[in-house]
């Protein structure tokens, strides 16, 4: 258990969705189970409680408002996913790799576990879920069903109403019949004579017939029948995919078979016929999982890039939920967009993804390379390698290069953010900005919006760094008012330039050349001083901020962290630490350093003026941390301990080598969900009817107006007098008039009548009614009031104003109620 307020590592994005089949909009992601909204695509709930990866989720066949989940931590949890509440936790005591449920097996689930004493060997076992009063129970009654099964959940399927279970592994198909306790095995040749690959990749069973569909590595689909007999079985073949069939799924009625693979195309086969098939192409990335909704109205596909696609039963695209795209290689690093506070990094090939950390969804994707990407192994294609934003986010610099080329093709692009179109537009394209690979790039980080202060610096393996500035275009026919050009080229002893960064005030530029750090004046570009700490090249450099702005920090690839004083030009302190990530907080003096030693990532947070770290976290996560970024918070967070003050204004996110995004947080799961998501969760749990959609909004609006005005005179008067409401609510259904008769009355009852008066007019009418009984005394009051007004003038801002008498107010009310709409005709 973690004590309240304690700092813990939390997976917040990028977790693989292929850990389990998605059940409608319930999906396993890392250590959590996510509940998505099909209408808004938002994350409604994040159900956490497992201590390791969630490997399977299945609806409770006896209560579809409940969900089972399995994990590598050896436990099975039963959830009320509408409220996000764990009901039961069953400790199995072994790693669980897949989970299955059957409608006919009460209090019994099936899981895949490793076989004891053997490596890479797995078993399908049944688990008896213990009944008890407590929430934490033990489930130790395990019975082996099949031996030698595959570890993937796609390798096992249950047949017609749970009469048999099918397992595929390599080139062997196993079918076990529960009632007969009979096991049949069928084997294929490893390689066919025509060059096909018969390796099994997935399996699915027909819901009502004895038919098994298997996918294979060569793109073929086999439909097995008569498998009750070992020698008289038959199979037919369907073939469209050119590569491995990743997953298969039958429709609820069994008349359609869906298949997907690396082609990013969903194929629908009708009546098991190769001639009748439909396609839904261009789904963006390889399809890894296919799942059908319980009513068969929707199909869900989970893709390799962490995208969930919702598809209608007529094979029409409905919605897409895009999380953090898993790129092959994050070359750009983690960059924060100053405008949206979104995390920016490599997305689809040649694209830049803007990822929202609060909603765990992609905001938008920017096509940088602007070329068609061809999915072919070994083909050299251009890719995005470097990204940098200006301080206000108005300019974006990108570098693209062709992959693995000795003489690389480089291109530097400068993009300007257009507020009218709300998008980045290409301003300048520079071919071959350096003669070799570009190693780093940064803008001068100044708050001013002056064009003169905006500078871009690039470093390259061609042993130079270049300074780029904006210049006005003198050509009157030019499309762009300004463009970028090179203003200065610097070098140091013909060493390769590796890193660059500006000081907080922008007056100094630090450029590392292998083992040496050089400091330059950003106005005159004079070399001010140099720092060296051999042996080992400089891996990362950064300036201190605020009260620590006089320090320069550097990390070497030989395992040293150094701090130099810019005023004394001397080494302030050094530490023996293998730093792979060095990230300063833009809003404080703190700097985060992540080390990698003995297969363990550790976090050190320090201030440059203090050599002793203020926070140390050993064994931060099991994976190696490659990148990190501080993201400014919208509002400072209150922390219960002084050692967590470095997280008050910014939050630290880091990316592992498995491309999982993690963060350090003291907040609970529910607190991390946005308020809008919580409201959506409440609204979506309520029953929605056509009547509530039409009338409910009008009622809430009317009630709110009544509360705001504070008048009870007209409360619910309009609704109670509605004949349409009375007809619908109080008349038996079998004697109701036709819809054509009720519809006009019902619609008219929802309209706001022109005769409705404001609260002020209603109050005026009440006053007028009381005045009718006192008309005789009005004239006398008018005389006395006028006499008082002569002696009680009020001065307001130098102007004299006087109060109207009752008779004058009465005349004004009459004028106010006159109809002047005829004037609009003129």
């Amino acid at each position: 258990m973690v004590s309240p307020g304690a700092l813990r590592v939390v997976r917040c994005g990028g977790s693989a969705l292929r850990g389990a089949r998605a059940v409608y909009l319930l999906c396993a992601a890392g250590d959590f189970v996510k509940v998505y909204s099909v209408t808004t695509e938002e994350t409604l709930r994040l159900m956490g409680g497992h201590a390791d990866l969630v490997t399977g989720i299945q609806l409770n066949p006896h209560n579809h408002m409940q969900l089972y989940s399995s994990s590598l931590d050896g436990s099975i949890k039963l959830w009320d996913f509408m409220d996000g509440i764990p009901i039961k936790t069953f400790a199995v005591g072994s790693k669980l790799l897949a989970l299955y449920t059957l409608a006919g097996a009460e209090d019994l689930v099936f899981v895949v576990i490793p076989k004891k004493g053997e490596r890479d060997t797995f078993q399908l076992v049944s688990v008896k879920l213990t009944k008890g009063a407590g929430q934490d129970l033990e489930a130790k009654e395990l019975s082996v069903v099949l031996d030698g099964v595959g570890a993937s959940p796609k390798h096992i399927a249950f047949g017609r109403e749970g009469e048999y279970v099918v397992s595929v592994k390599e080139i062997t198909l196993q079918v076990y019949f529960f009632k007969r306790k009979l096991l049949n095995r069928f084997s294929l040749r490893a390689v066919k004579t025509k060059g096909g690959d018969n390796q099994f990749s997935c399996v699915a069973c027909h819901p009502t017939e004895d038919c098994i569909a298997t996918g294979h590595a060569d793109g073929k689909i086999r439909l097995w029948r008569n498998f009750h007999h070992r020698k008289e079985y038959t199979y037919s073949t369907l073939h469209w995919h050119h590569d491995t069939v990743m997953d298969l799924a039958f429709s609820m009625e069994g008349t359609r078979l869906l298949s997907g693979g690396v082609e990013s195309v969903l194929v629908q086969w009708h009546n098991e016929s190769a001639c009748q098939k439909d396609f839904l192409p261009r789904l963006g990335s390889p399809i890894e999982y296919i799942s059908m909704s319980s009513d068969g109205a929707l199909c869900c596909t989970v893709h390799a890039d962490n995208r969930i696609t919702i598809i209608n039963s007529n094979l029409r695209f409905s919605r897409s939920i895009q999380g953090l795209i898993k790129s092959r290689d994050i070359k750009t690093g983690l960059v924060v967009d100053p405008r949206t506070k979104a995390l920016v990094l490599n997305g689809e090939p040649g694209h830049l993804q803007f990822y929202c950390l609060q909603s765990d969804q992609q905001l938008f994707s920017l096509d940088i390379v602007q070329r068609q990407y061809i999915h072919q192994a070994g083909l050299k294609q251009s890719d995005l390698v470097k990204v940098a934003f200006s301080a206000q986010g108005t300019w974006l610099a990108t570098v693209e290069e062709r992959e693995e080329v000795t003489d690389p093709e480089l291109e530097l692009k400068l993009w300007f953010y257009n507020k009218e179109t709300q998008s980045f537009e290409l301003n300048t394209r520079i071919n071959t900005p350096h003669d070799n690979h570009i190693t780093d790039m940064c803008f001068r980080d100044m708050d001013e919006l002056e064009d003169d202060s905006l500078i871009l610096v690039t470093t390259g393996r061609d042993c130079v760094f270049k300074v780029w500035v904006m210049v006005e275009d003198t050509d009157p026919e030019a499309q762009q008012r300004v463009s970028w050009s090179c203003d200065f080229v610097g070098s140091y002893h013909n060493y390769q330039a590796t890193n660059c960064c500006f000081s907080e005030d922008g007056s100094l530029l630090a450029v590392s050349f292998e083992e040496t750090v050089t400091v330059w004046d950003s106005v005159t570009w004079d070399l001010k001083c140099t720092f060296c700490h051999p042996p080992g090249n400089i891996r990362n450099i950064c300036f201190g901020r605020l009260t620590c702005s006089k320090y320069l920090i550097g990390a070497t690839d030989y395992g040293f962290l150094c701090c130099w004083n810019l005023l004394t030009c001397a080494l302030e302190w050094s530490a023996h630490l293998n730093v792979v990530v060095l990230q300063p907080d833009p809003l404080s003096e703190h700097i985060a350093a992540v080390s990698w030693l003995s297969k363990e990532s550790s976090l050190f947070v320090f201030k440059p003026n203090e050599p002793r770290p203020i926070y140390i976290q050993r064994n931060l996560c099991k994976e190696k941390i490659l990148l990190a970024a501080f993201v400014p918070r919208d509002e400072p967070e209150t922390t219960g301990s002084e050692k967590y003050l470095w997280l008050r204004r910014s939050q630290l996110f880091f990316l592992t080598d498995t491309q999982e995004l993690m963060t350090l947080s003291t907040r609970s799961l529910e607190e991390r969900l946005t308020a809008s998501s919580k409201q959506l969760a409440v609204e979506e749990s309520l029953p929605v009817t056509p009547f509530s959609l039409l009338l409910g909004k009008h009622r809430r609006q009317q009630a709110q107006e009544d509360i705001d005005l504070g008048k009870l005179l007209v409360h619910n008067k309009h609704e109670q007098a509605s004949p349409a409401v009375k007809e619908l609510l109080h008349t038996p259904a079998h004697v109701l008039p036709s819809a054509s008769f009720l519809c006009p009355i019902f619609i008219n009852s929802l309209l706001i009548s022109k005769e409705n008066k404001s609260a002020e007019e209603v109050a005026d009418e009440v006053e007028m009614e009381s005045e009718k009984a006192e008309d005789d005394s009005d004239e006398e009051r008018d005389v006395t009031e006028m006499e008082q007004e002569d002696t009680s003038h009020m001065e307001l801002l130098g102007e004299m104003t006087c109060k109207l008498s009752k008779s004058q107010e009465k005349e004004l009310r009459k004028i106010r109620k006159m109809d002047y709409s005829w004037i609009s005709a003129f």
Side-chain angles (χ1 to χ4, degrees):
M1 295 293 293
V2 181
S3 59
L7 198 63
R8 55 184 178 273
V9 179
V10 179
R11 285 184 171 88
C12 55
S15 299
L17 299 176
R18 51 179 173 266
R21 291 176 185 262
V23 180
Y24 194 31
L25 284 179
L26 302 172
C27 190
D31 300 350
F32 308 111
V33 178
K34 291 185 178 181
V35 182
Y36 289 105
S37 167
V38 73
T39 54
T40 64
E41 305 170 10
E42 285 193 78
T43 304
L44 297 181
R45 288 182 185 83
L46 201 61
M47 299 188 297
H50 286 291
D52 210 331
L53 293 177
V54 178
T55 56
I57 55 174
Q58 294 288 337
L59 289 176
N60 184 355
H62 307 287
N63 186 347
H64 283 186
M65 307 301 288
Q66 296 178 354
L67 179 80
Y68 285 109
S69 64
S70 63
S71 171
L72 292 179
D73 63 4
S75 68
I76 298 174
K77 288 183 177 291
L78 178 63
W79 303 86
D80 178 356
F81 63 85
M82 295 301 296
D83 296 327
I85 300 173
I87 302 173
K88 297 282 186 180
T89 299
F90 304 94
V92 181
S94 178
K95 286 187 176 182
L96 309 180
L97 304 175
L99 174 69
Y100 310 91
T101 58
L102 289 179
E106 190 174 356
D107 297 331
L108 199 68
V109 297
F110 297 86
V111 295
V112 175
I113 63 173
K115 188 175 182 179
K116 294 183 179 180
E118 297 186 24
R119 188 177 180 182
D120 297 331
T121 305
F122 306 97
Q123 295 175 318
L124 175 68
V125 300
S126 62
V127 180
K128 180 69 174 180
L129 300 181
T130 309
K131 292 184 179 181
Q135 187 174 1
D136 296 327
L137 303 172
E138 289 190 358
K140 301 298 184 180
E141 296 184 31
L142 307 181
S143 300
V144 178
V145 178
L146 279 177
D147 209 349
V149 301
S152 172
K154 295 185 288 187
H155 291 170
I156 294 176
F158 285 81
R160 181 163 54 95
E161 298 180 356
E163 291 188 2
Y164 53 87
V165 60
V166 183
S167 167
V168 295
K169 184 180 181 182
E170 298 176 352
I171 58 172
T172 302
L173 171 70
Q174 296 186 89
V175 183
Y176 178 75
F177 300 91
F178 289 101
K179 292 183 179 180
R180 299 163 56 189
K181 295 184 179 180
L182 175 66
L183 177 62
N184 288 345
R185 282 191 178 93
F186 309 97
S187 298
L188 299 173
R189 295 180 181 177
V191 178
K192 294 184 66 177
T193 55
K194 296 182 180 180
D197 190 351
N198 287 333
Q199 292 275 343
F200 287 99
S201 58
C202 56
V203 63
C205 292
H206 197 285
T208 59
E209 300 178 5
D210 290 333
C211 176
I212 300 172
T214 58
H216 298 265
D218 58 1
K220 289 186 176 65
I221 300 172
R222 287 182 170 86
L223 299 173
W224 301 72
R225 291 187 180 277
N226 204 27
F227 44 81
H228 299 79
H229 309 281
R230 293 188 179 183
K231 296 184 178 181
E232 298 177 4
Y233 69 92
T234 61
Y235 64 78
S236 58
T237 303
L238 306 176
H239 195 190
W240 179 87
H241 299 277
H242 80 276
D243 209 325
T244 303
V245 180
M246 301 295 291
D247 201 8
L248 295 168
F250 278 98
S251 61
M252 293 297 103
E253 67 280 1
T255 57
R256 296 173 293 124
L257 175 65
L258 300 175
S259 64
V262 297
E263 303 87 0
S264 306
V265 178
L266 183 64
V267 185
Q268 181 175 259
W269 309 84
H270 293 274
N271 300 318
E272 305 170 10
S273 172
C275 301
Q276 301 180 23
K277 54 183 178 290
D278 299 321
F279 304 95
L280 181 60
R282 296 183 294 276
L283 292 179
S285 64
I287 299 172
E288 294 202 338
Y289 292 90
I290 304 173
S291 182
M292 298 293 297
S293 63
S294 56
D295 58 359
L298 295 175
C299 167
C300 171
T301 58
V302 180
H303 300 260
D305 63 351
N306 272 4
R307 180 190 288 114
I308 301 176
T309 304
I310 307 299
I311 302 167
N312 293 327
S313 58
N314 58 358
L315 215 66
R316 297 291 182 183
F317 173 85
S318 176
R319 292 186 179 274
S320 178
I321 301 173
Q322 177 65 72
L324 181 67
I325 294 179
K326 288 200 169 186
S327 180
R328 293 178 302 168
D329 190 11
I330 307 297
K331 301 176 182 178
T332 61
L334 294 183
V335 185
V336 179
D337 180 11
R339 292 181 305 101
T340 62
K341 302 297 187 296
L343 209 60
V344 181
L345 64 162
N346 289 101
E348 298 177 19
H351 288 67
L352 198 62
Q353 65 169 319
F354 288 71
Y355 172 74
C356 180
L357 294 163
Q358 287 74 26
S359 62
D360 186 22
Q361 292 184 20
Q362 185 186 106
L363 293 179
F364 63 94
S365 179
L366 182 62
D367 188 358
I368 301 296
V369 175
Q370 298 179 345
R371 297 177 187 174
Q372 183 66 32
Y373 184 84
I374 302 174
H375 294 271
Q376 182 176 340
L379 186 64
K380 303 298 186 296
Q381 304 183 70
S382 295
D383 199 6
L384 185 63
V385 294
K386 297 294 177 185
V387 168
F389 283 94
S390 62
Q392 302 297 326
T394 54
W395 286 95
L396 167 66
T398 62
V399 175
E400 57 192 71
E401 65 180 32
R402 191 172 293 276
E403 302 172 353
E404 299 177 3
V405 179
T406 305
D407 186 15
E409 298 179 13
L410 301 175
E411 195 166 27
L412 173 64
K413 292 180 179 178
L414 280 301
W415 308 74
F416 179 74
Y417 184 77
N418 190 330
K419 293 183 179 179
E420 296 180 356
T421 60
Q422 295 288 301
S423 62
F424 285 95
E425 297 178 354
L426 184 61
N427 176 271
T428 305
R429 187 196 306 264
I430 303 171
N431 291 319
T432 317
H434 285 260
D435 295 333
N436 207 332
H437 294 278
I438 293 179
T439 56
D440 201 3
M441 175 173 60
C442 67
F443 279 95
R444 182 159 65 177
D445 191 9
M446 297 182 68
D447 293 334
E448 292 83 0
L449 295 176
E450 304 295 336
D451 292 343
D452 297 340
S453 66
L454 203 56
I455 294 175
L456 175 69
V457 174
T458 58
T459 59
R461 293 182 185 174
D462 55 355
C463 303
V464 299
F465 73 90
K466 292 186 177 182
V467 179
W468 308 86
V469 296
M470 282 190 294
V471 293
E472 294 187 2
D473 202 327
T474 58
D475 187 0
E477 298 181 357
Q479 296 181 354
Q480 303 289 350
R481 182 178 61 86
V482 296
S483 60
W484 291 75
S485 66
C486 184
D487 182 65
F488 178 77
V489 179
S491 62
Y492 184 78
H493 294 293
N494 205 29
Y495 294 150
Q496 287 188 358
T498 54
N499 298 278
C500 62
C501 65
F502 278 98
S503 60
E504 186 178 13
D505 61 357
S507 61
L508 296 177
L509 169 69
V511 182
S512 62
F513 291 89
E514 298 182 8
E515 296 181 351
T516 306
V517 180
T518 60
V519 181
W520 306 73
D521 190 324
S522 66
V523 177
T524 62
W525 299 116
D526 293 334
L527 179 61
K528 291 298 183 180
C529 62
T530 60
F531 301 106
C532 187
H533 195 284
N537 296 329
I538 302 296
R539 180 182 288 169
N540 298 295
I541 56 172
C542 68
F543 280 96
R545 292 179 175 271
L546 301 177
T547 60
C548 300
S549 58
K550 65 179 180 179
Y551 297 103
L552 178 65
I553 310 298
T556 69
D557 55 8
Y558 264 63
F560 283 95
L561 181 64
C562 309
C563 177
W564 292 283
N565 192 319
L566 296 173
L567 300 181
T568 61
C569 296
L571 181 66
E572 189 79 9
W573 55 265
S574 65
H576 189 62
L577 197 64
N578 183 31
V579 176
V580 293
V581 176
L582 187 67
Q583 187 64 40
D585 181 7
L587 300 181
S588 69
E589 299 94 342
H590 300 103
I591 297 177
V594 180
S595 68
W596 174 253
L597 185 64
S598 300
K599 297 182 179 181
E600 178 182 302
S601 293
S602 300
L603 173 66
F604 300 86
V605 180
F606 63 94
K607 291 184 179 180
N609 58 353
E610 300 176 5
R612 184 181 297 274
I614 62 175
Y615 179 79
I616 300 176
Q617 177 67 53
R618 301 283 185 182
N619 194 15
L620 189 62
C621 65
K622 299 177 182 178
E623 299 85 5
K624 182 179 181 180
I625 296 175
L626 301 180
L627 303 166
F630 275 101
V631 179
R633 299 183 188 273
D634 295 332
E635 295 181 0
E637 189 177 71
T638 57
T639 57
S641 175
E642 292 185 0
K643 63 180 180 179
Y644 303 143
L645 288 177
W646 59 278
L647 284 172
R648 184 173 181 269
R649 302 189 63 185
S650 300
Q651 189 172 1
L652 180 64
F653 292 85
F654 46 91
L655 195 72
T656 66
D657 54 357
T658 58
Q659 295 192 18
E660 287 198 50
L661 187 65
M662 298 184 178
T663 187
L664 292 168
S665 177
T666 58
R667 301 170 64 188
S668 64
L669 297 176
E670 287 297 325
E671 291 175 338
R672 297 208 313 272
L673 285 178
T674 60
S676 61
S677 298
K678 292 180 181 179
Q679 182 63 28
L680 277 170
V682 174
E683 291 179 354
E684 294 208 351
S685 63
L686 297 176
V688 179
T689 63
F691 180 75
S692 66
L693 290 175
L694 288 173
L695 190 60
K697 183 178 180 181
H698 174 65
R699 279 186 167 177
R700 289 191 298 270
Q701 181 180 0
Q702 184 69 29
Q704 185 62 38
E705 291 175 355
D706 293 342
I707 293 172
D708 294 340
L709 293 174
K711 302 296 182 180
L712 300 178
L713 299 174
V714 293
H715 181 70
N716 287 337
K717 179 180 178 181
H718 179 67
E719 297 169 3
Q720 293 172 1
S722 171
V725 176
K726 290 182 179 179
E727 290 286 351
L728 288 174
L729 293 180
H730 302 291
T731 307
H734 64 281
V735 296
L736 271 177
S738 64
S740 61
F741 175 80
L742 282 178
C743 187
I745 304 175
F746 184 59
I747 296 300
N748 289 333
S749 70
L750 301 179
L751 300 177
I752 300 175
S753 175
K754 291 183 179 179
E755 297 178 357
N756 283 0
K757 286 126 179 128
S758 65
E760 181 182 353
E761 292 173 343
V762 173
D764 289 343
E765 288 183 1
V766 175
E767 272 188 40
M768 289 181 67
E769 291 176 1
S770 64
E771 288 172 0
K772 288 180 182 178
E774 302 176 1
D775 284 341
D776 297 337
S777 61
D778 276 349
E779 294 180 1
E780 296 179 2
R781 287 203 194 99
D782 291 344
V783 175
T784 57
E785 287 173 359
M786 289 297 291
E787 290 177 353
Q788 292 175 359
E789 288 170 2
D790 291 338
T791 59
S792 61
H793 294 298
M794 298 179 63
E795 187 174 356
L796 181 62
L797 298 178
E799 296 183 1
M800 303 298 293
T801 60
C802 52
K803 187 177 181 180
L804 296 178
S805 65
K806 293 288 185 180
S807 59
Q808 290 172 332
E809 290 179 357
K810 188 187 300 182
E811 292 295 325
L812 283 177
R813 282 195 292 268
K814 292 179 181 179
I815 296 173
R816 191 185 301 129
K817 294 178 181 180
M818 293 181 66
D819 186 13
Y820 296 99
S821 60
W822 56 272
I823 299 177
S824 61
F826 298 93

